Amino acid sequence: MNLHEYQGKELLNSFGVRIQRGIVAQTADEAVEAAKKLTEETGTGWHVIKAQVHAGGRGKGGGVKLAKNLDEVKDLAGQIIGMNLVTPQTSAEGKKVHQVLVAEDVYYPGDNEPEEYYMSVLLNRGSGKNMIMYSTEGGMDIEEVAEKTPHLIFTEEIDPALGLLPFQARRVAFNLGLSGAAFKEMTKFVSSLYTAYVKSDASLFEINPVLKTSDDKIMAVDSKVTLDANALYRHKDLAELRDKREENPIEVEAGELGLNYVDLDGNVGCMVNGAGLAMATMDLIKQAGGEPANFLDVGGTADAARVEAAFKIILKDPNVKAILINIFGGIVRCDRVAQGVIDAYKNMGNINVPIIVRLQGTNADIAKDLIDNSGLDVLSATEFQEAADKVQEVLS
Ligand code: GDP
Ligand code: MN
């Protein structure tokens, strides 16, 4: 589950990570109130207005703007709220902006130039350890840094049994070329960041940029936080931060129906029981020259109600030109699934794409007879390959 920048920053701050302070606003008037309040707290009259959407590269897309007075706050917030923000990480249509973060301007002039760094915490699956990845090249795409100047990216691996050790935090600060007060601040920043990552069961924290202000403070200016959805049951407060508006609406609906559904780009809808069989089915569709439109695991109980719910979800995707149902009857009997398919088909009445059904396992032969004699436009198959070939036939 992804968090908005402002939510991620609040989470970081609750673990003692210094952040660029801000207040979220839903309207231009709220943005002005937020700016006034921030000025009282921080003394700054300049603010950045930042679109809150689940996508990076907002700056490049015009979703991050500097306002030098309250009129500009109102104008810019008014422009950004409601816009469809297109960034290198969104689709061409962009993402609708529902709210902005009004944040204090932290790039103020002073003894030193402000400097931007990159820092992320993530799991290195290869070594089975958490890892802090960081770079002197902040504020730009880390992918670009990795390609052009890979020697400027450092990593610090953390033994999960020992946690982040003080010398490791010092090594990060050292490699970033810091000294004096900024060095000390950075060691505290790194250790608080790591604690926040572990304690919130996150799978990614990405802070780009981490800023060294002109007066040597180290703070998070941006935050991208991904939490492990499987651990949310022990973080009720964090689970509430979910913003469904940022997610694929069909996936949200499928989730509410208890279906395991992931939207994909192809045109063959898949209805399968079991994640492993679902993956194998997608592979087979590809091998036969097609492209799966989705991953869908209907789970163990493929009764008529579930099959109907799954049909409805699959048919919401306008790209679907055929549906392959591939069910293995181990616990569930194939004839019951077949009856479920037939009932759902009749109930829905308006399915106008060809359907190929492969049922294997308990009572598979009875199931095939049921389908073949149903009088419906449903093709049955017994072999896996045969099913995939039939899909290709109906599409060509
Ligand atoms: P992203 O483009 O989605 O990664 O959004 P960021 O939060 O990283 O902001 C983009 C850029 O806006 C940063 O790299 C900064 O250069 C700039 N920015 C962010 N906060 C401030 C600020 O307080 N003052 C000024 N002048 N620029 C800022
Ligand atoms: Mn950023």
Side-chain angles (χ1 to χ4, degrees):
M1 184 182 97
N2 292 326
L3 299 186
H4 282 294
E5 174 197 0
Y6 79 95
Q7 296 168 326
K9 279 175 162 171
E10 278 166 21
L11 175 64
L12 293 176
N13 194 234
S14 70
F15 286 92
V17 180
R18 191 197 290 279
I19 55 163
Q20 172 195 41
R21 281 200 277 170
I23 298 172
V24 74
Q26 321 284 332
T27 64
D29 288 330
E30 273 181 39
V32 172
E33 287 313 305
K36 283 185 189 158
K37 213 162 154 198
L38 282 171
T39 300
E40 274 170 33
E41 283 174 26
T42 66
T44 177
W46 287 15
H47 300 93
V48 269
I49 314 298
K50 311 180 78 176
Q52 298 298 288
V53 291
H54 288 185
R58 294 163 303 162
K60 283 185 190 142
V64 179
K65 294 267 169 69
L66 182 66
K68 297 185 175 171
N69 55 52
L70 292 178
D71 287 340
E72 287 184 11
V73 168
K74 188 163 180 165
D75 279 356
L76 293 170
Q79 283 167 30
I80 295 175
I81 295 169
M83 82 188 279
N84 272 329
L85 181 60
V86 180
T87 86
Q89 294 185 15
T90 66
S91 65
E93 300 95 71
K95 287 204 116 173
K96 177 123 177 150
V97 182
H98 300 282
Q99 48 191 359
V100 291
L101 180 65
V102 181
E104 58 173 333
D105 169 38
V106 284
Y107 286 63
Y108 45 82
D111 295 342
N112 306 305
E113 281 292 308
E115 275 189 52
E116 296 180 322
Y117 311 111
Y118 171 92
M119 192 173 294
S120 57
V121 190
L122 65 163
L123 175 66
N124 180 347
R125 290 174 192 275
S127 65
K129 290 178 179 169
N130 288 322
M131 166 168 100
I132 297 175
M133 194 188 289
Y134 60 104
S135 174
T136 49
E137 308 305 289
M140 20 202 262
D141 285 345
I142 197 65
E143 290 81 4
E144 204 181 313
V145 180
E147 201 172 296
K148 292 189 183 145
T149 50
H151 60 285
L152 296 178
I153 297 182
F154 302 93
T155 54
E156 188 69 45
E157 292 221 341
I158 296 126
D159 188 317
L162 299 176
L164 179 76
L165 296 170
F167 84 90
Q168 295 184 292
R170 288 198 294 274
R171 182 153 62 194
V172 173
F174 179 81
N175 283 336
L176 289 174
L178 299 172
S179 60
F183 185 99
K184 264 185 129 169
E185 278 245 346
M186 183 58 86
T187 59
K188 181 168 178 286
F189 184 93
V190 173
S191 62
S192 309
L193 184 70
Y194 186 72
T195 305
Y197 172 87
V198 172
K199 289 273 165 72
S200 57
D201 286 316
S203 51
L204 173 70
F205 271 17
E206 187 180 55
I207 317 296
N208 188 21
V210 173
L211 186 73
K212 177 165 78 86
T213 62
S214 60
D215 51 356
D216 279 353
K217 292 193 185 97
I218 302 292
M219 65 170 69
V221 165
D222 192 5
S223 87
K224 174 174 171 130
V225 171
T226 306
L227 301 173
D228 180 351
N230 292 318
L232 282 174
Y233 72 93
R234 55 185 186 192
H235 300 284
K236 296 277 185 301
D237 49 335
L238 297 178
E240 279 170 20
L241 300 178
R242 180 171 175 199
D243 186 348
K244 289 185 188 164
R245 294 175 299 188
E246 297 292 323
E247 297 174 24
N248 178 313
I250 309 179
E251 290 181 3
V252 171
E253 195 182 333
E256 281 160 4
L257 293 166
L259 301 167
N260 213 335
Y261 175 92
V262 181
D263 197 21
L264 299 169
D265 294 332
N267 56 4
V268 182
C270 311
M271 190 190 306
V272 189
N273 66 338
L277 188 58
M279 301 294 273
T281 304
M282 289 159 61
D283 282 350
L284 210 81
I285 289 172
K286 279 213 160 213
Q287 216 177 50
E291 288 290 335
N294 63 277
F295 166 97
L296 172 58
D297 172 11
V298 292
T301 52
D303 56 19
R306 277 185 92 69
V307 170
E308 193 171 330
F311 266 132
K312 282 192 180 141
I313 292 291
I314 292 175
L315 290 169
K316 289 203 176 193
D317 178 350
N319 297 326
V320 168
K321 297 287 176 283
I323 298 177
L324 172 57
I325 301 178
N326 191 10
I327 305 265
F328 178 75
I331 297 168
V332 60
R333 280 164 31 206
C334 290
D335 53 322
R336 294 188 62 174
V337 179
Q339 197 57 52
V341 171
I342 294 164
D343 292 349
Y345 197 99
K346 284 183 180 156
N347 280 345
M348 289 187 65
N350 58 349
I351 301 180
N352 47 15
V353 298
I355 295 173
I356 294 90
V357 185
R358 174 191 178 247
L359 293 164
Q360 262 307 356
T362 313
N363 291 353
D365 42 352
I366 306 175
K368 189 172 185 319
D369 284 347
L370 277 172
I371 300 274
D372 289 345
N373 298 321
S374 66
L376 301 175
D377 184 18
V378 179
L379 302 169
S380 70
T382 34
E383 296 306 318
F384 211 156
Q385 186 66 50
E386 183 194 351
D389 291 343
K390 281 197 174 161
V391 171
Q392 278 330 105
E393 264 171 53
V394 300
L395 284 179
S396 56

